[in-house]
Amino acid sequence: MIAALLIFLGTYLGDIPSLAKRLQLDRPGVLTVWSAILSNLVSNVPAVLVFKPFISTLADPQPAWLTLAMSSTLAGNLTVLGSMANLIVIEGSRRTVKISFVEYLKVGVPLTLLSLWIGVLILR
């Protein structure tokens, strides 16, 4: 899956520096949103690998790396599928407590949005 994402990036997206500029990945809020979305679609490790070529082209990559570390990690709280730890807890508690996908979202969405917002404020 990671290889397919990287091949897609190289083949279809063209000039990575200009795309990073168009996507405004140098802005912490924008990078946080993209990272949270991709981290929940493909998990955080592949998401970070996908962002690597973009961030390395930025004029000042250090804030972007910090933002990516923060956002890809915290985004795992968004859904049950966002983190392997979430799945382990849900499975481990199955005998005593049933936690549905929607029930998890009721806590995961506001918690993740709040923590990402605070993270962006701290990193600015």
Side-chain angles (χ1 to χ4, degrees):
M1 180 187 290
I2 296 170
L5 284 169
L6 294 174
I7 291 169
F8 172 80
L9 285 173
T11 305
Y12 296 104
L13 298 182
D15 184 27
I16 288 178
S18 68
L19 183 60
K21 188 173 183 169
R22 279 189 306 221
L23 292 174
Q24 299 179 346
L25 295 181
D26 58 334
R27 297 178 55 203
V30 173
L31 180 56
T32 295
V33 169
W34 283 112
S35 171
I37 291 168
L38 192 57
S39 292
N40 274 276
L41 291 175
V42 298
S43 188
N44 61 347
V45 173
V48 169
L49 290 174
V50 166
F51 281 107
K52 183 180 177 184
F54 293 98
I55 291 177
S56 63
T57 66
L58 298 175
D60 187 8
Q62 183 179 2
W65 282 119
L66 291 171
T67 300
L68 184 60
M70 176 274 299
S71 59
S72 65
T73 300
L74 296 177
N77 296 319
L78 186 66
T79 68
V80 171
L81 303 175
S83 168
M84 185 59 75
N86 298 346
L87 293 171
I88 292 169
V89 168
I90 297 296
E91 184 63 30
S93 67
R94 179 179 280 190
R95 290 187 186 131
T96 57
V97 178
K98 300 262 188 218
I99 302 171
S100 72
F101 190 84
V102 173
E103 286 175 314
Y104 187 92
L105 283 178
K106 290 177 184 177
V107 175
V109 170
L111 176 68
T112 302
L113 294 176
L114 179 63
S115 61
L116 289 172
W117 178 69
I118 291 170
V120 168
L121 291 178
I122 291 171
L123 291 175
R124 282 191 164 187

